[in-house]
Amino acid sequence: NAEIFALKLVTLAVAFTALELVSGFSIHEFRYDRFHDNAKDVFRIVKTKSTETYGRNKQTSQVTDLVYEQLTEQSAYTLARTKVLNELNVIVNDRLLSNQQLHVADQQITDIFTFNFIDGGAEIFKKYNQSIILSSKLAEQYFNTLNITGKRLQIYTYSDTLSYEIAGVYEAFPLNSHQAFDAFLLYNDSNLLSLGFDPITFEVYGRKKPTVNVSESNSLLETAEYRNTKQPIGNNYFGPRKSGEDVAHGDLYSVIILLSITSLILFLAVTSFINLTSLGLPKRVKELAIKKLSGHTKLRLTLSFIGESFFISCTALILSGLLIWLSQEFIRSIQVLELTTLVIVYQIWLIPIVL
């Protein structure tokens, strides 16, 4: 029954490969922004237009100076302004790098997001007005090394050129971050004006202070025209788009459809496995008869078939892992998920089968 064995193996291997890839992708999607410590306590401020006659998008992530000052009076939360700076020119060791995207943020950002510093630290970042912290990804791109604390780089636009001292290098955020936070300059109104950016509007991120008990209400500040609420950071990716934001968004419906299709593939593979097993039984009549005559009980015969199924399933699972390993360069090139997620999924599938 070599051809039936091969068909069983191939159908299960393809089904397992599809299931592991899609499961890894789904875990990657559902884990957006969950890598921060106590991510449930991190949020973004969203402003909602109160008047019902407003026909356009009622929600925006942009906050003004006046609102921010009122929000900071609520001592139960740590808040930080952030702003994305696009199309910057960066000079590093006499090299010009164009069209760079960096962020500015208040020093409290290191108390809100989780930064795993490889070099330098948050204390240096908070100490100087002209300081910047880089992700490991950007540090490698700019300097080809991670030990760069104390070095300088220049940022210039058509308006002005500013020099910044590097205060530290942190481990790059995973791909499933709603924004590519690869660098943070310390928020400074005069520096933003010098570079040609408006310092009055920005986004605000916050975190509930661990020692303070607050109500579960999402409302923070409400006026006659606007209502400012907390949007948990884990809801940014699958949540509705907000005007003024520059973040990644996912499609929950598409992920569910993809999972459904993959489940159907697995169901068809299992059905095919059962049909192929039934198809091979007539050729094994003599084998079964001899086993029965030699004293095999019905339970023992059943267990032998179960053992064969487990052997084929384990072989197919190992083969699916090999297929994923062979396609790892393609997975990296399309950057839809990280291989560490696939490793976790593969282990989840392997453990119960081995047990």
Side-chain angles (χ1 to χ4, degrees):
N1 298 307
E3 69 283 355
I4 292 179
F5 177 84
L7 281 172
K8 288 180 180 180
L9 197 61
V10 169
T11 53
L12 278 182
V14 171
F16 281 149
T17 303
L19 189 64
E20 288 160 22
L21 284 172
V22 174
S23 298
F25 174 75
S26 301
I27 290 174
H28 181 266
E29 291 288 286
F30 286 116
R31 295 295 298 172
Y32 255 80
D33 299 304
R34 306 302 172 100
F35 53 86
H36 296 292
D37 294 340
N38 296 318
K40 65 181 186 302
D41 295 330
V42 182
F43 57 86
R44 181 178 64 168
I45 301 296
V46 173
K47 187 169 68 174
T48 306
K49 188 82 171 179
S50 298
T51 56
E52 296 182 2
T53 56
Y54 192 71
R56 294 162 58 193
N57 188 356
K58 292 185 177 182
Q59 294 186 320
T60 177
S61 62
Q62 296 298 305
V63 178
T64 60
D65 258 340
L66 178 61
V67 173
Y68 177 68
E69 290 174 5
Q70 294 173 307
L71 288 170
T72 52
E73 295 174 2
Q74 303 190 32
S75 58
Y77 304 101
T78 302
L79 301 176
R81 299 169 293 175
T82 68
K83 191 179 184 72
V84 60
L85 308 182
N86 289 312
E87 298 181 1
L88 292 176
N89 299 298
V90 178
I91 301 175
V92 181
N93 296 333
D94 297 326
R95 287 191 303 127
L96 174 63
L97 301 162
S98 303
N99 297 320
Q100 300 297 296
Q101 183 190 80
L102 306 177
H103 286 78
V104 291
D106 290 316
Q107 61 182 19
Q108 292 86 351
I109 197 67
T110 56
D111 300 321
I112 297 172
F113 293 161
T114 300
F115 292 89
N116 299 316
F117 280 95
I118 301 170
D119 190 39
E123 298 77 14
I124 306 174
F125 177 62
K126 296 176 179 180
K127 190 174 180 181
Y128 303 106
N129 285 333
Q130 299 287 108
S131 61
I132 180 174
I133 52 176
L134 303 178
S135 70
S136 54
K137 172 186 171 184
L138 212 59
E140 287 283 0
Q141 180 183 335
Y142 285 177
F143 296 93
N144 296 320
T145 180
L146 300 180
N147 300 316
I148 56 175
T149 299
K151 294 186 178 182
R152 305 190 74 87
L153 57 77
Q154 290 180 307
I155 299 173
Y156 84 88
T157 61
Y158 292 110
S159 301
D160 201 356
T161 301
L162 298 178
S163 178
Y164 283 85
E165 181 176 332
I166 297 169
V169 176
Y170 58 91
E171 188 177 318
F173 287 173
L175 290 175
N176 51 358
S177 173
H178 71 284
Q179 288 198 60
F181 291 117
D182 285 326
F184 286 99
L185 316 174
L186 200 58
Y187 206 106
N188 185 287
D189 289 0
S190 60
N191 288 348
L192 284 174
L193 287 170
S194 297
L195 293 173
F197 293 94
D198 178 15
I200 297 176
T201 59
F202 38 77
E203 290 186 313
V204 175
Y205 287 88
R207 177 185 282 274
K208 180 176 71 70
K209 293 181 179 178
T211 57
V212 180
N213 293 323
V214 294
S215 66
E216 295 299 322
S217 172
N218 283 330
S219 181
L220 284 179
L221 181 66
E222 190 167 352
T223 65
E225 293 186 357
Y226 291 99
R227 183 175 68 257
N228 295 277
T229 57
K230 298 179 294 181
Q231 181 188 36
I233 192 172
N235 296 346
N236 286 358
Y237 186 64
F238 283 131
R241 293 183 182 274
K242 311 291 187 294
S243 63
E245 67 177 5
D246 185 13
V247 303
H249 276 274
D251 188 347
L252 179 60
Y253 178 77
S254 297
V255 175
I256 293 173
I257 290 296
L258 193 59
L259 282 170
S260 301
I261 293 172
T262 309
S263 300
L264 178 61
I265 292 173
L266 182 63
F267 173 76
L268 292 175
V270 172
T271 304
S272 173
F273 184 92
I274 295 171
N275 290 337
L276 288 170
T277 301
S278 302
L279 187 65
L281 285 177
K283 297 182 179 180
R284 302 181 65 178
V285 170
K286 186 182 292 186
E287 173 198 344
L288 296 174
I290 292 172
K291 285 183 176 180
K292 199 163 185 180
L293 286 172
S294 64
H296 280 59
T297 63
K298 185 177 180 181
L299 177 61
R300 192 171 177 183
L301 288 173
T302 303
L303 289 175
S304 68
F305 278 107
I306 292 174
E308 289 178 17
S309 299
F310 268 103
F311 173 75
I312 295 173
S313 298
C314 288
T315 307
L317 189 65
I318 294 169
L319 184 59
S320 69
L322 179 62
L323 290 173
I324 291 175
W325 181 77
L326 291 173
S327 60
Q328 60 181 321
E329 292 302 322
F330 173 72
I331 294 170
R332 286 197 185 99
S333 67
I334 57 179
Q335 294 185 338
V336 292
L337 76 161
E338 294 174 301
L339 288 175
T340 51
T341 308
L342 279 179
V343 171
I344 293 171
V345 172
Y346 191 68
Q347 289 173 341
I348 290 172
W349 278 98
L350 186 60
I351 290 172
I353 289 184
V354 170
L355 290 176

